[in-house]
Amino acid sequence: MLLGEYHHNIDEKGRLIVPAKLRTELGESYVICRGMDGNLFMYSQIEWNKFVAQLEKLPQTDKGTRQFKRFFLGSAMEGSFDKQGRVLVSPALRGHAGLDKEIVLVGVQDKVELWAKSLWDERNMIQEEDLDAIMEHMATLDIRF
């Protein structure tokens, strides 16, 4: 399971060191695509294949399905780690997530989220009253702490 928060820098060529703990969980190859909150998602090949298998079941005649597939599949890039444990993030994906220097990698169960540090700091600030509302919503989904 992918867990934890890690801070690294991305270089001018778009190379980013992925911590060894995350690399071990991801395996030898990965897929990076656009995320849903101004970030990027990084999947192991196994988890990506599971995601794609779900998409294959959706009806092609549904406009939302086509848009959803374009958003994720159209932006996706496959890769493998170099000898220094780095990944190469394409200019288009860096642009989508505003990745320019400081990056936060967050393990979120089945994927790693890549965030620009400034956006992560902004989005990760959950006020106590917001957390109460989130906890109440989780309870409606039968998630209890």
Side-chain angles (χ1 to χ4, degrees):
M1 180 184 311
L2 295 156
L3 301 169
E5 177 180 321
Y6 307 86
H7 295 252
H8 286 275
N9 291 326
I10 193 167
D11 70 17
E12 64 282 346
K13 294 180 181 178
R15 296 175 301 193
L16 173 67
I17 293 174
V18 175
K21 172 82 172 132
L22 296 178
R23 287 195 315 267
T24 299
E25 293 293 322
L26 287 165
E28 291 186 24
S29 62
Y30 59 82
V31 176
I32 299 176
C33 67
R34 284 184 256 182
M36 293 187 279
D37 296 308
N39 60 356
L40 301 178
F41 292 161
M42 181 180 200
Y43 290 93
S44 69
Q45 194 66 55
I46 292 169
E47 290 298 329
W48 179 256
N49 292 343
K50 289 180 189 177
F51 176 60
V52 170
Q54 292 177 39
L55 296 181
E56 288 172 350
K57 296 175 185 174
L58 299 174
Q60 289 295 320
T61 56
D62 180 72
K63 184 176 182 177
T65 294
R66 294 190 308 271
Q67 291 173 321
F68 188 84
K69 285 182 174 184
R70 280 185 211 112
F71 183 81
F72 289 104
L73 300 177
S75 69
M77 59 170 278
E78 296 178 310
S80 57
F81 300 100
D82 69 11
K83 291 177 183 176
Q84 286 82 32
R86 297 177 300 189
V87 298
L88 180 63
V89 183
S90 73
L93 287 173
R94 290 195 314 264
H96 168 78
L99 304 182
D100 58 4
K101 181 88 173 135
E102 295 178 276
I103 310 300
V104 180
L105 298 93
V106 183
V108 186
Q109 191 174 358
D110 63 342
K111 65 183 150 297
V112 175
E113 295 182 351
L114 307 176
W115 291 85
K117 184 181 182 313
S118 58
L119 185 56
W120 172 253
D121 290 344
E122 175 187 316
R123 298 275 174 95
N124 198 36
M125 298 270 296
I126 299 176
Q127 302 299 321
E128 192 169 329
E129 59 272 8
D130 296 334
L131 186 56
D132 290 342
I134 291 168
M135 296 296 285
E136 287 176 19
H137 177 68
M138 291 294 105
T140 67
L141 299 173
D142 206 27
I143 303 293
R144 310 218 185 270
F145 292 87

